[in-house]
Amino acid sequence: MQKNFLILSCADSNRFSADINHKQYADNHSTEYQFHTVTRLSNPFFIKPYCVFQALSQGYENILCIDDDAFFINQAWDFREIFSNYRQDLIVTRGRKKKSGTTLFNAGVMFIKNTENIKLLFKKVCNISFKELEKNWKKDWGPLEGNEQPRLIYLTQ
């Protein structure tokens, strides 16, 4: 069964109570919302890929995955426009500048379309070793930091 839109957030714990803001935004746009915390995962550092893959398996066509430290400031902005304005399977923004450099993209806010390629991508993320990343990482992708973000960058490049 296909479900049109989902706003998804997940974390190791509910650190910032952003789920309140996310739920309010989802309700304002008549959209389903899910917030997950770590429970019985083989690798809790990969909660985001696990949750995204689960949502894809549940049949959601379009998923806005937003970190638990990001908030909706403009409640009137309609996230669904991104899905209708872009045909790519994965829509992300450029990474933020840090002392160590700028990552190719930011996995903190991702617009994800449910395709076979995307399912495969999120299934593979958790299986990439750090050793493989180090061996194949390109400097123009930015600093090799984080858990799922560098793996997503590597797999999409």
Side-chain angles (χ1 to χ4, degrees):
M1 179 176 112
Q2 288 288 353
K3 302 171 188 173
N4 213 9
F5 293 98
L6 172 68
I7 298 173
L8 174 68
S9 188
C10 46
D12 54 353
S13 65
N14 191 348
R15 304 174 295 170
F16 304 106
S17 297
D19 59 312
I20 297 166
N21 171 267
H22 298 169
K23 176 78 170 111
Q24 179 183 15
Y25 178 86
D27 288 348
N28 288 344
H29 293 276
S30 302
T31 301
E32 288 189 58
Y33 173 68
Q34 293 179 8
F35 177 74
H36 298 276
T37 56
V38 173
T39 54
R40 297 186 194 138
L41 294 178
S42 56
N43 187 337
F45 295 113
F46 294 113
I47 186 170
K48 189 184 300 178
Y50 288 131
C51 288
V52 168
F53 188 76
Q54 179 183 17
L56 292 168
S57 299
Q58 292 171 341
Y60 289 98
E61 294 177 59
N62 303 286
I63 302 166
L64 168 54
C65 185
I66 182 169
D67 274 359
D68 71 318
D69 61 352
F71 292 80
F72 293 101
I73 304 301
N74 180 355
Q75 290 280 327
W77 173 74
D78 190 349
F79 77 101
R80 295 171 289 205
E81 291 177 7
I82 300 296
F83 290 105
S84 60
N85 290 337
Y86 296 89
R87 54 183 199 88
Q88 289 81 4
D89 295 347
L90 178 65
I91 303 140
V92 294
T93 61
R94 181 141 180 93
R96 65 184 173 98
K97 288 186 180 193
K98 300 190 276 187
K99 287 182 182 178
S100 56
T102 303
T103 55
L104 186 63
F105 64 74
N106 177 3
V109 177
M110 296 185 289
F111 298 84
I112 304 162
K113 293 184 181 181
N114 192 339
T115 65
E116 290 306 314
N117 285 336
I118 289 296
K119 286 179 187 172
L120 186 59
L121 173 70
F122 279 93
K123 192 172 187 179
K124 286 182 173 181
V125 167
C126 304
N127 298 322
I128 303 293
S129 70
F130 192 76
K131 192 175 192 176
E132 181 178 343
L133 282 178
E134 284 182 310
K135 179 180 160 189
N136 297 298
W137 194 257
K138 296 188 176 161
K139 286 190 177 223
D140 59 332
W141 296 344
L144 177 53
E145 299 172 353
N147 296 313
E148 80 281 337
Q149 183 167 288
R151 287 163 174 83
L152 283 167
I153 290 171
Y154 170 65
L155 288 170
T156 58
Q157 301 307 304

